[in-house]
């Protein structure tokens, strides 16, 4: 059974005005305080966009903006993929298409330079975004159950300070944009009692207590071949399981959670 969603990765400059307007509307649906100017600033600073569409009706239901940059860490040239605005309509949560598309993008970057270290710079104002990193990639900074190698945290602080300036609090490891900035709307992915019992979510809330006001936890994720292969495999397997469940429901078979 084919997924009800389809994903594609496009160059930012290929977006039409209609697509940009749909992306802004989706951000404003899920986040409070989204201004057209702030949205355009984020988008124009990226080179790529992952687009998610419903197969029926071709409605835009999600996207993620991506920037690729070369940096130096421990005397070596490394590549950094930076995730900007990322959103999926709540009606489509649980689908793995975004993860698969992002995994393929990372794979394409690794194949370009197989021996060059690859890192993913991620800003997390919501725990679901943070879980995307820690659930798939063991070498994530910060994370509760892994100690990074010497120099990794220094590289993260230096990179975030240079990219975000005084908006980045190196002591807290968080980012608060100057002026009005958006935050997840009330009732969308709250950290309720059940979520707070999850060790990684509890750690995220502890490290980013201002998340409800739009404060972002700045994370650096090392992308290794093994982790990337496993992440893609898990995402594809999740897709297959989801298709099978929906197919069984359509023919009247009850499927347990």
């Amino acid at each position: 059974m084919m997924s009800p969603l389809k994903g594609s990765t496009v160059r930012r400059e290929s977006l039409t005005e209609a697509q940009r307007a749909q992306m802004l509307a989706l951000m404003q649906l899920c986040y409070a305080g989204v201004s057209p100017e702030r949205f355009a600033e984020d988008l124009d600073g990226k080179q790529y966009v992952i687009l998610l569409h419903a197969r029926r009706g071709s409605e835009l239901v999600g996207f993620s903006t991506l920037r690729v940059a070369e940096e130096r860490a421990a005397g070596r040239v490394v590549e950094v993929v930076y995730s900007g605005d990322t959103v999926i309509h709540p009606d489509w949560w649980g689908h793995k298409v975004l993860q698969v598309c992002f995994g393929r993008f990372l794979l394409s970057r690794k194949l370009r330079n197989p021996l060059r270290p690859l890192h993913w710079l991620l800003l997390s104002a919501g725990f679901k975004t943070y879980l995307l990193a820690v659930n798939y990639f063991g070498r994530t900074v910060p994370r509760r159950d892994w100690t990074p190698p010497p120099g990794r945290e220094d590289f993260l602080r230096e990179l975030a300070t240079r990219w975000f300036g005084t908006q980045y609090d190196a002591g807290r490891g968080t980012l608060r944009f100057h002026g009005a900035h958006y935050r997840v709307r009330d009732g969308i992915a709250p950290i309720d009692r059940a979520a707070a019992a999850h060790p990684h979510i509890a750690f995220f809330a502890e490290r980013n207590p201002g998340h409800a006001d739009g404060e972002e936890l700045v994370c650096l994720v090392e992308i290794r071949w093994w982790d990337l292969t496993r992440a893609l495999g898990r995402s594809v397997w999740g897709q297959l399981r989801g298709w099978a469940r929906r197919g069984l429901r359509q023919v009247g078979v009850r499927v347990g959670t």
Side-chain angles (χ1 to χ4, degrees), residues 7-8 61 64-65 77 171 179 187 198-199 216-217 246:
S8 60
V61 300
S64 182
T65 63
V77 175
H198 190 290
E216 310 256 13
L217 182 65
R246 286 187 289 274

Side-chain angles (χ1 to χ4, degrees), residues 125 176 181-184 209-216:
R176 180 178 289 275
H181 185 60
Y182 37 82
R183 59 178 177 80
V184 179
H211 67 274
D213 297 320
E215 197 160 341
E216 310 256 13

Side-chain angles (χ1 to χ4, degrees), residues 48-212:
Y48 303 93
V49 182
I50 297 174
L51 299 173
L52 302 182
H53 289 89
R55 290 190 182 275
R56 291 185 179 181
S58 298
E59 174 191 5
L60 180 72
V61 300
F63 69 87
S64 182
T65 63
L66 302 171
R67 172 185 174 186
V68 178
E70 286 188 356
E71 296 287 341
R72 295 194 69 86
R76 298 185 62 185
V77 175
V78 303
E79 187 167 272
V80 176
V81 175
Y82 167 43
S83 293
D85 286 345
T86 299
V87 64
I88 299 177
H89 193 288
D91 290 349
W92 297 94
W93 285 353
H95 292 271
K96 304 295 183 180
V97 178
L98 177 60
Q99 290 94 313
V100 171
C101 288
F102 183 59
R104 287 173 177 167
F105 182 81
L106 293 176
L107 179 61
S108 73
R109 304 309 304 184
K110 287 289 285 185
L111 290 172
R112 285 171 179 260
N113 292 282
L115 300 181
R116 176 181 292 179
L118 177 64
H119 297 277
W120 171 24
L121 183 67
L122 172 68
L123 307 183
S124 300
F127 74 85
K128 287 183 176 290
T129 307
Y130 178 71
L131 288 179
L132 284 177
V134 296
N135 282 345
Y136 288 95
F137 300 99
R139 296 191 172 189
T140 296
V141 180
R143 112 173 244 152
R144 52 179 287 275
D145 53 359
W146 181 67
T147 301
R152 183 65 53 83
E153 291 176 309
D154 292 336
F155 172 61
L156 172 57
R157 283 190 290 267
E158 186 275 331
L159 182 66
T161 299
R162 182 155 40 84
W163 282 23
F164 305 116
T166 57
Q167 298 177 121
Y168 173 63
D169 185 333
R172 293 165 57 92
T174 58
L175 180 68
R176 180 178 289 275
F177 288 97
H178 295 158
H181 185 60
Y182 37 82
R183 59 178 177 80
V184 179
R185 287 194 179 276
D186 294 339
I188 296 182
I191 300 182
D192 54 21
R193 180 176 299 179
H198 190 290
H200 285 313
I201 299 175
F203 177 79
F204 168 80
E206 177 186 346
R207 293 298 299 264
N208 186 17
H211 67 274

Side-chain angles (χ1 to χ4, degrees), residues 1 17-18 40 45 54 75 128 140 143 160 181 228 232 242 255:
M1 177 180 293
E17 288 303 316
K128 287 183 176 290
T140 296
R143 112 173 244 152
H181 185 60
L228 183 56
L232 279 168
V255 181

